[in-house]
Amino acid sequence: MAKFAIHDFKGVIPALVTPFDLDGSLNEGLLRGITASLVARGVDGLYLTGSTGEGFMMSPEERMRAVETVCAEVAGRIPVMVHVGAISTYQTVALARQAEAAGADAISSVPPIYWPFTPDQVANYYADVTASTSLPMVVYKIALAGEIGFELLARLAAMPGIEGVKYTAPTHFEIGRIKTEIGPDFRVFSGADEMAMSGLAFGADGLIGSFYNIIPELYADIVAAMAEDRIADAKALQDKANAIIFFTLKQYPMSAVKRIMAWQGADAGYCRKPFDNYETPEAEAALKDAYRAFRDAHGLAEIGFLPDL
């Protein structure tokens, strides 16, 4: 039975990475370790097996094992939301039911991908999946998985059990429209890390994203600054976060995030192919040198970014 309700999801929620070994094997030990580390660092929740978690690179059975591992490690200390999206309703329902059995507090899903499904088919998908558990559903709006326009989102929001949206798009004016026209109780989670300040300004209830795996404290400071109407402080913090994001995007991004987590004391393993990895000690050493120079050039050690690198 879920311990947390949908309104308990707020603040900084990492879209958790999934650790793999270089041979592609899921490493459950490392997964427990990064979960424990992020809980200790004070994150407000976790979002599992989404884009950042390489969910679509995993078999259904592996996704279930990952969810069970994280939920067991969290042990009810913070809310857990599980991305259960798949092409078929059948598979998504199975993932949703397992997430509930494992102890998740909410589920989330992209719309069914690959084929050009009609709005009615998308709506039926969400209705069937949401009805399969007692957990609240958070729709995942991201262009990579197909567009969910405002009209379709409003239609979905009227369905029982659909209680929020993970909004990964730059059109943040629409967050305000969601809060006004759909209603203030419909939860909105800003999913663009480089626009967290903007998402909060337009009414987002929380943040879900990749870089909260490595700089959650910086984003917690942004959340606090926005709550206290310290706009200049929030912008300065967002600028520092964006410098880290833009530099990382020039690397092998997800592999770099996982190596940074290792340097911070919580090894997150590697990515699955066809993603690239820093596979040799020489490659990782060169990456570390690049981050050390970047950190020093931007004065980021003072905010706690890789101070001991």
Side-chain angles (χ1 to χ4, degrees), residues 178-191:
I178 290 168
K179 287 295 186 178
T180 299
E181 298 187 28
I182 294 178
D185 293 334
F186 190 73
R187 305 293 283 182
V188 179
F189 302 96
S190 180

PDB file of all heavy atoms in Angstrom, residues 178-191:
ATOM      1  N   ILE A 178      -2.161  25.310 -17.345  1.00  0.00           N
ATOM      2  CA  ILE A 178      -2.615  24.069 -16.717  1.00  0.00           C
ATOM      3  C   ILE A 178      -3.181  24.361 -15.332  1.00  0.00           C
ATOM      4  O   ILE A 178      -4.271  23.890 -14.967  1.00  0.00           O
ATOM      5  CB  ILE A 178      -1.452  23.057 -16.622  1.00  0.00           C
ATOM      6  CG1 ILE A 178      -1.074  22.544 -18.021  1.00  0.00           C
ATOM      7  CG2 ILE A 178      -1.823  21.879 -15.707  1.00  0.00           C
ATOM      8  CD1 ILE A 178       0.233  21.769 -18.050  1.00  0.00           C
ATOM      9  N   LYS A 179      -2.445  25.161 -14.558  1.00  0.00           N
ATOM     10  CA  LYS A 179      -2.891  25.469 -13.202  1.00  0.00           C
ATOM     11  C   LYS A 179      -4.183  26.286 -13.210  1.00  0.00           C
ATOM     12  O   LYS A 179      -5.024  26.137 -12.315  1.00  0.00           O
ATOM     13  CB  LYS A 179      -1.788  26.222 -12.452  1.00  0.00           C
ATOM     14  CG  LYS A 179      -0.610  25.337 -12.059  1.00  0.00           C
ATOM     15  CD  LYS A 179      -1.047  24.288 -11.061  1.00  0.00           C
ATOM     16  CE  LYS A 179       0.113  23.486 -10.521  1.00  0.00           C
ATOM     17  NZ  LYS A 179      -0.319  22.490  -9.512  1.00  0.00           N
ATOM     18  N   THR A 180      -4.362  27.125 -14.218  1.00  0.00           N
ATOM     19  CA  THR A 180      -5.560  27.961 -14.274  1.00  0.00           C
ATOM     20  C   THR A 180      -6.760  27.203 -14.817  1.00  0.00           C
ATOM     21  O   THR A 180      -7.859  27.251 -14.234  1.00  0.00           O
ATOM     22  CB  THR A 180      -5.304  29.196 -15.163  1.00  0.00           C
ATOM     23  OG1 THR A 180      -4.245  29.959 -14.587  1.00  0.00           O
ATOM     24  CG2 THR A 180      -6.552  30.065 -15.275  1.00  0.00           C
ATOM     25  N   GLU A 181      -6.579  26.483 -15.932  1.00  0.00           N
ATOM     26  CA  GLU A 181      -7.718  25.883 -16.624  1.00  0.00           C
ATOM     27  C   GLU A 181      -8.020  24.454 -16.179  1.00  0.00           C
ATOM     28  O   GLU A 181      -9.187  24.061 -16.110  1.00  0.00           O
ATOM     29  CB  GLU A 181      -7.497  25.941 -18.137  1.00  0.00           C
ATOM     30  CG  GLU A 181      -7.401  27.370 -18.675  1.00  0.00           C
ATOM     31  CD  GLU A 181      -7.350  27.425 -20.193  1.00  0.00           C
ATOM     32  OE1 GLU A 181      -7.894  26.507 -20.845  1.00  0.00           O
ATOM     33  OE2 GLU A 181      -6.759  28.380 -20.727  1.00  0.00           O
ATOM     34  N   ILE A 182      -6.986  23.671 -15.905  1.00  0.00           N
ATOM     35  CA  ILE A 182      -7.223  22.304 -15.422  1.00  0.00           C
ATOM     36  C   ILE A 182      -7.461  22.323 -13.925  1.00  0.00           C
ATOM     37  O   ILE A 182      -8.324  21.607 -13.419  1.00  0.00           O
ATOM     38  CB  ILE A 182      -6.049  21.385 -15.808  1.00  0.00           C
ATOM     39  CG1 ILE A 182      -5.998  21.225 -17.338  1.00  0.00           C
ATOM     40  CG2 ILE A 182      -6.186  20.020 -15.132  1.00  0.00           C
ATOM     41  CD1 ILE A 182      -4.847  20.375 -17.838  1.00  0.00           C
ATOM     42  N   GLY A 183      -6.699  23.139 -13.216  1.00  0.00           N
ATOM     43  CA  GLY A 183      -6.947  23.299 -11.791  1.00  0.00           C
ATOM     44  C   GLY A 183      -5.682  23.270 -10.963  1.00  0.00           C
ATOM     45  O   GLY A 183      -4.707  22.591 -11.320  1.00  0.00           O
ATOM     46  N   PRO A 184      -5.662  23.989  -9.851  1.00  0.00           N
ATOM     47  CA  PRO A 184      -4.455  24.089  -9.022  1.00  0.00           C
ATOM     48  C   PRO A 184      -4.043  22.778  -8.365  1.00  0.00           C
ATOM     49  O   PRO A 184      -2.883  22.622  -7.984  1.00  0.00           O
ATOM     50  CB  PRO A 184      -4.840  25.144  -7.973  1.00  0.00           C
ATOM     51  CG  PRO A 184      -6.330  25.103  -7.913  1.00  0.00           C
ATOM     52  CD  PRO A 184      -6.776  24.791  -9.304  1.00  0.00           C
ATOM     53  N   ASP A 185      -4.976  21.832  -8.226  1.00  0.00           N
ATOM     54  CA  ASP A 185      -4.643  20.561  -7.579  1.00  0.00           C
ATOM     55  C   ASP A 185      -4.018  19.550  -8.544  1.00  0.00           C
ATOM     56  O   ASP A 185      -3.522  18.509  -8.090  1.00  0.00           O
ATOM     57  CB  ASP A 185      -5.897  19.952  -6.943  1.00  0.00           C
ATOM     58  CG  ASP A 185      -6.403  20.773  -5.770  1.00  0.00           C
ATOM     59  OD1 ASP A 185      -5.583  21.468  -5.143  1.00  0.00           O
ATOM     60  OD2 ASP A 185      -7.615  20.737  -5.501  1.00  0.00           O
ATOM     61  N   PHE A 186      -4.070  19.839  -9.834  1.00  0.00           N
ATOM     62  CA  PHE A 186      -3.424  18.956 -10.815  1.00  0.00           C
ATOM     63  C   PHE A 186      -1.923  19.233 -10.751  1.00  0.00           C
ATOM     64  O   PHE A 186      -1.466  20.334 -11.037  1.00  0.00           O
ATOM     65  CB  PHE A 186      -3.970  19.226 -12.213  1.00  0.00           C
ATOM     66  CG  PHE A 186      -3.539  18.216 -13.246  1.00  0.00           C
ATOM     67  CD1 PHE A 186      -4.071  16.937 -13.260  1.00  0.00           C
ATOM     68  CD2 PHE A 186      -2.606  18.553 -14.227  1.00  0.00           C
ATOM     69  CE1 PHE A 186      -3.684  16.007 -14.211  1.00  0.00           C
ATOM     70  CE2 PHE A 186      -2.215  17.634 -15.186  1.00  0.00           C
ATOM     71  CZ  PHE A 186      -2.751  16.349 -15.180  1.00  0.00           C
ATOM     72  N   ARG A 187      -1.149  18.218 -10.363  1.00  0.00           N
ATOM     73  CA  ARG A 187       0.272  18.425 -10.071  1.00  0.00           C
ATOM     74  C   ARG A 187       1.073  18.560 -11.361  1.00  0.00           C
ATOM     75  O   ARG A 187       0.863  17.811 -12.326  1.00  0.00           O
ATOM     76  CB  ARG A 187       0.824  17.268  -9.257  1.00  0.00           C
ATOM     77  CG  ARG A 187       0.069  16.972  -7.982  1.00  0.00           C
ATOM     78  CD  ARG A 187       0.192  18.076  -6.960  1.00  0.00           C
ATOM     79  NE  ARG A 187       1.473  18.042  -6.285  1.00  0.00           N
ATOM     80  CZ  ARG A 187       1.823  18.881  -5.306  1.00  0.00           C
ATOM     81  NH1 ARG A 187       0.982  19.828  -4.931  1.00  0.00           N
ATOM     82  NH2 ARG A 187       3.002  18.794  -4.719  1.00  0.00           N
ATOM     83  N   VAL A 188       1.988  19.513 -11.363  1.00  0.00           N
ATOM     84  CA  VAL A 188       2.874  19.724 -12.503  1.00  0.00           C
ATOM     85  C   VAL A 188       4.312  19.618 -12.013  1.00  0.00           C
ATOM     86  O   VAL A 188       4.716  20.315 -11.078  1.00  0.00           O
ATOM     87  CB  VAL A 188       2.651  21.094 -13.164  1.00  0.00           C
ATOM     88  CG1 VAL A 188       3.620  21.274 -14.336  1.00  0.00           C
ATOM     89  CG2 VAL A 188       1.208  21.241 -13.638  1.00  0.00           C
ATOM     90  N   PHE A 189       5.089  18.746 -12.674  1.00  0.00           N
ATOM     91  CA  PHE A 189       6.490  18.562 -12.337  1.00  0.00           C
ATOM     92  C   PHE A 189       7.331  19.024 -13.529  1.00  0.00           C
ATOM     93  O   PHE A 189       7.228  18.470 -14.620  1.00  0.00           O
ATOM     94  CB  PHE A 189       6.781  17.100 -12.007  1.00  0.00           C
ATOM     95  CG  PHE A 189       5.944  16.594 -10.860  1.00  0.00           C
ATOM     96  CD1 PHE A 189       4.759  15.903 -11.100  1.00  0.00           C
ATOM     97  CD2 PHE A 189       6.309  16.848  -9.555  1.00  0.00           C
ATOM     98  CE1 PHE A 189       3.970  15.455 -10.056  1.00  0.00           C
ATOM     99  CE2 PHE A 189       5.525  16.404  -8.499  1.00  0.00           C
ATOM    100  CZ  PHE A 189       4.355  15.710  -8.747  1.00  0.00           C
ATOM    101  N   SER A 190       8.126  20.058 -13.304  1.00  0.00           N
ATOM    102  CA  SER A 190       8.964  20.591 -14.365  1.00  0.00           C
ATOM    103  C   SER A 190      10.081  19.608 -14.674  1.00  0.00           C
ATOM    104  O   SER A 190      10.814  19.185 -13.779  1.00  0.00           O
ATOM    105  CB  SER A 190       9.546  21.942 -13.934  1.00  0.00           C
ATOM    106  OG  SER A 190      10.366  22.487 -14.939  1.00  0.00           O
ATOM    107  N   GLY A 191      10.217  19.248 -15.956  1.00  0.00           N
ATOM    108  CA  GLY A 191      11.184  18.231 -16.326  1.00  0.00           C
ATOM    109  C   GLY A 191      12.370  18.727 -17.114  1.00  0.00           C
ATOM    110  O   GLY A 191      13.179  17.926 -17.570  1.00  0.00           O
TER     111      GLY A 191
END
